[in-house]
Amino acid sequence: MKAPQVVMDLDKKSRVVLREGLLVDRKGAEVTVLWSDGSTDDVRLGADGDHILFATPAGGLRHRKYVDPVATSELVRSSPAQAFAFALLDSAKPVSSKDLIARVEEVFTGDVSALWKRARLTFEANENVKASGKGASLKYIWAGQAPLDAISADVAAQMRGGTALKENTVTVELDAGNAERGGDAAPQVADGAEGGQIHPAVELVHATSVSGQLPENWARLLGIALRNPLAAGLAVDSLSDDALQAAVPALGRAALILQALPRESKTIKAIDAVQLAGPEGAAALIDAADAELRGLEPASASAQELRHAKDFLIRRLLSSPSVGLLSLDTVLRATREMETPKDAAKKGEWVAGLLATVISAMDQDSWKNLALQDKSAVARRLTSVPLNAAGSRARVLGWIWRNHPADLADEMWWRDVEFDDLASVATTPLASALESDAIASAIVKPLVVKRLASATTRRQLLTSLAAPTALARLMDESAVQQAFDRVLRDDNIGRAWLVRLRNETRIFELAHQVEALTRQAKEKTELLGKAQEAVRLSDDRLHRMEARLSEAAASTNELRESQSRQIRIDVMRAFAGLCAYVDGAADSQSAQRVRERVRRMAAREGLTPSGVPGRTEPYDPQRHDVVGEPPLPNTPVTVTGIGYTLGEGADEIVLVRALVERTY
């Protein structure tokens, strides 16, 4: 069963519902509408002057958004699967999860993506929800009957019946006995009602107080009443405190229609309106109240009554125990146009306390992304409150300093702050802020200079000098001296003190200088003694080193002489052996045998023959001795006698050069 279509007529500027009706027939943009008052009209959908007309499924999320924004926001928060089902009902074509999330985000400012993850399985289990495709192509469509709940069914019945309000509303005739509030006074007719019709808010509260439970049509009555919450408050003002007390326990969320009641009531004061409405619902309630006032002449009696009711509405919302759940934007909007109470200072501190509560509950990213105009609005609200250690203004500034210290350097946070105000917070955690370079130079220093320049009595000056370190450290010595001279110019007692203090100060300075010079002389004497001891130790070390060098030199000479003598003995022993062999073999052995034996002896000692007799080689002055005039290097020569070398490669030493003669 397809949901019936309703036509909503909105004020183009405020988006407030002016009227709604059942769509009976449609030809393109031209539609026939059965309005809630029983009249029928042919209209064109779209923008028309100051009106916007559109058609939407009855009971869908879009319809609910305008009928009862508070309840719709609460529905998303408490029953997200149902909210996504209502969003699906708004579309005649298959939609993706991304599209559903976007539609729900139009009525709820929280994390809708997280709600979808939580509600998806329940949503898909709904027998009226059909899914097609897979993965990124997965889409949903409403394939069953339209939901018949307190809004959709009641609205559909209301449209088909002409004027359900006339059918279902109790009407009464007022007499003098009921005109005033009494313990059992019957519900009164709302101003401007036709045919003795009771205001929906009055009907809802009265019926609940009598039966102890909500009537069957409570959701419709609540939705109609909350479209104009200020008028609802004025209407229920006709009911007695006993009736309110009897109704409140059973009203539940419907108790929101009592928040604009323009009189004090302990029963209503005990209601946590923010908890009932939720943060988004409370914001929507304020928006509805603003829209209700927007079209009225400000000086009219009706506007004044509604403003008075709005003041009660705002105070009750902002006095709720759950006020910390509200967004900063909501609190700023709510306090922007409040009626000024008799005690303006008390109001300022109260508003500052609200801001401190809400800001303390914010995360850092929320403040970082806050528009500059909203931060400026917070600063303006705080300007009316003195800065002191225990006040709300200090709480807000302290939070900003802990989380976004750079923001606190802006002068708007310190507007109307004086020296004494800074002194009162200079011993709190804000002291570190006052000592920061940016705030000290831009805020603290000018106030310190101003205070010293404006002091006219001893008490003022001495009190200023006794300020905490965060302020006193910025007092220039010359400025303090000038302040003393100015303040004590006509003060004989003070001037005598100053002269004595100056003399004593001079004596103290001289004594301090003497003490410092004595200390320096003592330190230098100690340094001189240490230096002399170091020189003596150095001389001793030098003498010891000279003695060791002398001993080392003598030992080295003896070693060198011993080594040279041993080398000579070894060489002569080898030479003597060679001589003894040649002398013995000269007469008994052939020359060839003697030559071979000599070469073996040379090889045993590490000698290598150089050159072969009869061979031609390029002339090398380092390896050859030539008979006659030496030729140029590399000139061919003939070896006539061998030479000897010791070692190989880079370590080779030519001991005896080979004998050569020029080759012709």
Side-chain angles (χ1 to χ4, degrees):
M1 175 181 176
K2 190 175 181 180
Q5 295 276 308
V6 292
V7 175
M8 310 292 291
D9 183 3
L10 306 183
D11 178 78
K12 188 175 183 180
K13 184 176 181 181
S14 66
R15 296 298 195 271
V16 171
V17 178
L18 302 176
R19 57 179 178 165
E20 61 180 309
L22 178 67
L23 192 153
V24 178
D25 190 22
R26 181 169 189 167
K27 294 180 180 180
E30 298 288 341
V31 297
T32 301
V33 185
L34 175 61
W35 296 109
S36 59
D37 60 2
S39 63
T40 303
D41 194 10
D42 292 330
V43 298
R44 185 177 183 84
L45 300 181
D48 181 16
D50 295 332
H51 296 249
I52 297 177
L53 291 98
F54 65 89
T56 188
L61 195 66
R62 191 182 186 196
H63 181 206
R64 294 166 185 274
K65 170 186 175 181
Y66 291 102
V67 170
D68 191 350
V70 176
T72 305
S73 178
E74 176 62 19
L75 173 70
V76 176
R77 186 185 64 81
S78 60
S79 302
Q82 189 176 14
F84 284 113
F86 290 147
L88 183 61
L89 182 64
D90 283 338
S91 177
K93 298 180 180 180
V95 295
S96 65
S97 60
K98 184 177 180 180
D99 295 329
L100 289 174
I101 291 172
R103 294 186 181 202
V104 175
E105 284 178 337
E106 294 178 3
V107 301
F108 188 73
T109 59
D111 189 350
V112 178
S113 296
L115 290 177
W116 169 253
K117 293 178 181 178
R118 191 178 79 192
R120 178 176 177 178
L121 294 178
T122 305
F123 168 78
E124 292 178 343
N126 190 323
E127 61 181 4
N128 296 316
V129 175
K130 301 301 179 184
S132 61
K134 294 182 178 180
S137 300
L138 180 62
K139 292 189 176 182
Y140 306 93
I141 190 168
W142 188 271
Q145 293 184 343
L148 296 176
D149 69 338
I151 289 183
S152 56
D154 197 45
V155 169
Q158 172 183 326
M159 301 307 174
R160 294 189 181 93
T163 57
L165 187 58
K166 292 181 180 179
E167 297 173 358
N168 298 328
T169 302
V170 178
T171 59
V172 296
E173 293 296 332
L174 296 180
D175 54 33
N178 290 331
E180 304 209 6
R181 295 188 201 97
D184 299 314
Q188 295 190 13
V189 180
D191 292 339
E194 298 179 0
Q197 195 177 79
I198 298 178
H199 191 285
V202 177
E203 179 182 351
L204 176 57
V205 177
H206 177 73
T208 305
S209 67
V210 172
S211 65
Q213 59 184 10
L214 290 169
E216 292 183 359
N217 62 342
W218 72 271
R220 178 177 63 82
L221 296 175
L222 176 63
I224 297 173
L226 288 183
R227 293 181 200 174
N228 298 290
L230 303 182
L234 293 175
V236 295
D237 190 30
S238 63
L239 299 177
S240 67
D241 289 336
D242 290 339
L244 296 179
Q245 188 173 3
V248 165
L251 281 175
R253 192 177 61 82
L256 291 174
I257 61 176
L258 304 176
Q259 298 306 305
L261 177 71
R263 71 173 191 263
E264 297 295 339
S265 170
K266 294 182 179 180
T267 302
I268 299 177
K269 186 177 181 181
I271 298 173
D272 190 340
V274 175
Q275 182 67 35
L276 287 180
E280 292 79 13
L285 200 59
I286 295 173
D287 290 339
D290 289 339
E292 197 173 349
L293 278 166
R294 195 174 292 123
L296 298 179
E297 179 64 32
S300 66
S302 297
Q304 293 177 11
E305 287 182 344
L306 291 180
R307 275 198 300 271
H308 187 55
K310 181 186 175 184
D311 192 51
F312 275 90
L313 170 66
I314 296 301
R315 287 182 179 281
R316 288 181 176 125
L317 285 173
L318 299 185
S319 298
S320 298
S322 302
V323 68
L325 299 176
L326 296 178
S327 68
L328 182 59
D329 177 68
T330 299
V331 175
L332 291 175
R333 287 192 297 112
T335 57
R336 184 177 298 125
E337 299 177 358
M338 284 181 57
E339 293 184 8
T340 303
K342 296 179 180 179
D343 189 349
K346 186 176 180 181
K347 174 211 171 182
E349 185 60 44
W350 179 65
V351 172
L354 291 174
L355 294 174
T357 300
V358 173
I359 291 174
S360 298
M362 293 177 67
D363 56 53
Q364 295 193 23
D365 288 340
S366 297
W367 179 267
K368 182 179 179 180
N369 297 328
L370 199 65
L372 179 60
Q373 62 182 11
D374 289 333
K375 294 181 181 179
S376 299
V378 174
R380 286 195 301 273
R381 299 291 198 285
L382 296 177
T383 300
S384 62
V385 181
L387 178 64
N388 54 66
S392 299
R393 186 173 186 177
R395 287 174 57 198
V396 174
L397 299 189
W399 185 92
I400 297 174
W401 175 247
R402 290 192 302 274
N403 296 279
H404 299 275
D407 286 1
L408 205 58
D410 195 311
E411 294 185 4
M412 67 180 180
W413 300 109
W414 307 94
R415 196 173 293 126
D416 293 343
V417 169
E418 296 295 340
F419 181 91
D420 291 335
D421 301 322
L422 294 183
S424 69
V425 297
T427 55
T428 70
L430 273 177
S432 57
L434 301 181
E435 293 175 357
S436 66
D437 293 340
I439 296 177
S441 60
I443 308 300
V444 183
K445 181 67 174 179
L447 291 177
V448 169
V449 172
K450 177 182 176 182
R451 170 52 64 92
L452 290 177
S454 63
T456 57
T457 65
R458 288 199 308 269
R459 175 174 294 182
Q460 289 179 346
L461 181 56
L462 294 178
T463 301
S464 301
L465 295 177
T469 303
L471 279 64
R473 70 189 189 93
L474 298 177
M475 294 181 181
D476 184 73
E477 183 178 343
S478 61
V480 174
Q481 182 65 57
Q482 292 173 7
F484 268 115
D485 290 340
R486 183 185 65 258
V487 170
L488 301 180
R489 183 179 298 116
D490 299 324
D491 188 336
N492 294 331
I493 297 177
R495 199 165 57 251
W497 289 352
L498 187 60
V499 170
R500 180 172 297 179
L501 286 173
R502 285 176 174 172
N503 290 336
E504 292 180 355
T505 300
R506 182 57 180 165
I507 294 172
F508 175 77
E509 290 177 352
L510 292 174
H512 181 70
Q513 293 177 5
V514 171
E515 181 181 356
L517 292 173
T518 302
R519 184 169 58 254
Q520 292 176 3
K522 183 178 180 181
E523 291 174 352
K524 291 181 178 180
T525 301
E526 292 176 353
L527 290 175
L528 179 61
K530 293 178 180 179
Q532 290 174 342
E533 179 63 18
V535 170
R536 185 185 65 77
L537 294 175
S538 297
D539 288 342
D540 290 344
R541 284 196 296 272
L542 181 60
H543 291 319
R544 287 196 296 272
M545 291 177 64
E546 289 176 347
R548 291 176 182 174
L549 287 174
S550 178
E551 293 175 358
S555 176
T556 301
N557 290 335
E558 291 178 359
L559 179 61
R560 186 182 298 111
E561 291 177 358
S562 175
Q563 290 176 341
S564 298
R565 183 171 178 276
Q566 184 62 42
I567 292 172
R568 182 176 178 78
I569 291 173
D570 292 341
V571 170
M572 295 309 294
R573 181 179 288 113
F575 182 67
L578 177 62
C579 292
Y581 167 73
V582 172
D583 184 70
D587 298 330
S588 60
Q589 298 181 20
S590 65
Q592 182 61 29
R593 181 177 176 80
V594 171
R595 185 180 296 110
E596 291 177 356
R597 179 67 183 276
V598 170
R599 288 181 178 177
R600 283 197 299 273
M601 294 175 64
R604 186 171 64 246
E605 297 299 331
L607 302 180
T608 303
S610 175
V612 178
R615 178 182 295 175
T616 300
E617 298 179 354
Y619 176 66
D620 182 356
Q622 301 297 326
R623 304 180 68 85
H624 298 145
D625 271 340
V626 65
V627 178
E629 185 68 20
L632 294 175
N634 295 323
T635 301
V637 293
T638 302
V639 178
T640 57
I642 67 172
Y644 281 96
T645 62
L646 178 65
E648 298 178 356
D651 296 331
E652 183 184 58
I653 300 173
V654 179
L655 299 178
V656 178
R657 287 179 290 188
L659 187 62
V660 299
E661 61 183 15
R662 301 184 66 172
T663 302
Y664 297 98

